[in-house]
Amino acid sequence: MHAILNRWLSSPAAKPLAFAAAFSPAVWLVVAAAMDWLGANPAEALERSTGDWTLRMLCVLLAITPLRTVAQLPALARLRRMAGLFVYFYALLHLLAYAWFDMGFELADIAKDIAKRPFILVGFVAVLLLTPLALTSFNRAMRVLGGKRWQALHRLVYAIAGLAILHFFWMRAGKRNFTEVAVYALILGVLLGWRLRKRLQRNRTPALVNGA
């Protein structure tokens, strides 16, 4: 089974299919907006949906390494860069929807709103931190930065995950509706906890060897 899945993930069709799957929510939102299928408040629906898809793609991105390791699917690594770029894509759409529908692209009002409302500030910082990750996601950037510095930079994704959950939590605080926040926090907590556990195991192994 592992061999079959790895062979399929290594095939030329895997990336186009993954791209189509990741891009399809954006296509649906455009079609739904054009057809007036987004309900009484389409602007709010677009803002919420793009935010939801940012979090979902972040979960997908952070799930790739654990799945690759646990399920013995090394070919999954081929999709990691694409998943990361789609996190940035939906985050930019979310920011664009806010700037357009809530603020009318008035930069002065946007700056005041960022300073006034903590959940907007946290979300804005998360998008800013995502920007260098997207810009350095290509092989040439990795060669220029060097492996260690590139890895250190891309560990920012863990802080971004925390900021995304905090942004979502503060946004829902007014309505006291935290069910979805808890679901995403649990998923991201498990994925980040798995990484922490693996890191602690790696650090402990040399100590045990030296002690022996």
Side-chain angles (χ1 to χ4, degrees), residues 25-167:
V27 175
W28 162 251
L29 287 173
V30 171
V31 172
M35 301 298 292
D36 198 20
W37 293 341
L38 293 176
N41 193 340
E44 182 182 352
L46 284 169
E47 284 186 53
R48 177 178 292 185
S49 296
T50 51
D52 287 345
W53 279 107
T54 303
L55 275 170
R56 288 166 189 160
M57 290 307 303
L58 186 58
C59 291
V60 169
L61 171 65
L62 292 174
I64 287 176
T65 296
L67 277 175
R68 187 188 65 177
T69 304
V70 174
Q72 299 176 31
L73 296 172
L76 266 177
R78 297 180 68 226
L79 306 179
R80 186 165 50 197
R81 179 189 300 165
M82 185 189 301
L85 289 172
F86 269 108
V87 174
Y88 189 57
F89 171 69
Y90 283 108
L92 285 181
L93 289 183
H94 187 53
L95 179 61
L96 178 65
Y98 156 76
W100 184 4
F101 300 125
D102 282 3
M103 310 306 295
F105 287 126
E106 292 290 337
L107 295 182
D109 291 341
I110 292 171
K112 290 177 184 176
D113 202 39
I114 289 171
K116 183 174 67 176
R117 295 200 285 177
F119 89 93
I120 299 293
L121 173 62
V122 166
F124 186 70
V125 170
V127 176
L128 285 182
L129 292 178
L130 275 170
T131 300
L133 305 195
L135 294 176
T136 60
S137 63
F138 302 97
N139 293 335
R140 185 174 180 180
M142 189 185 299
R143 288 194 297 269
V144 170
L145 288 171
K148 287 186 177 180
R149 280 185 292 180
W150 187 90
Q151 287 182 348
L153 175 64
H154 281 255
R155 288 194 188 103
L156 279 174
V157 72
Y158 308 142
I160 291 164
L163 290 173
I165 290 297
L166 184 59
H167 170 72

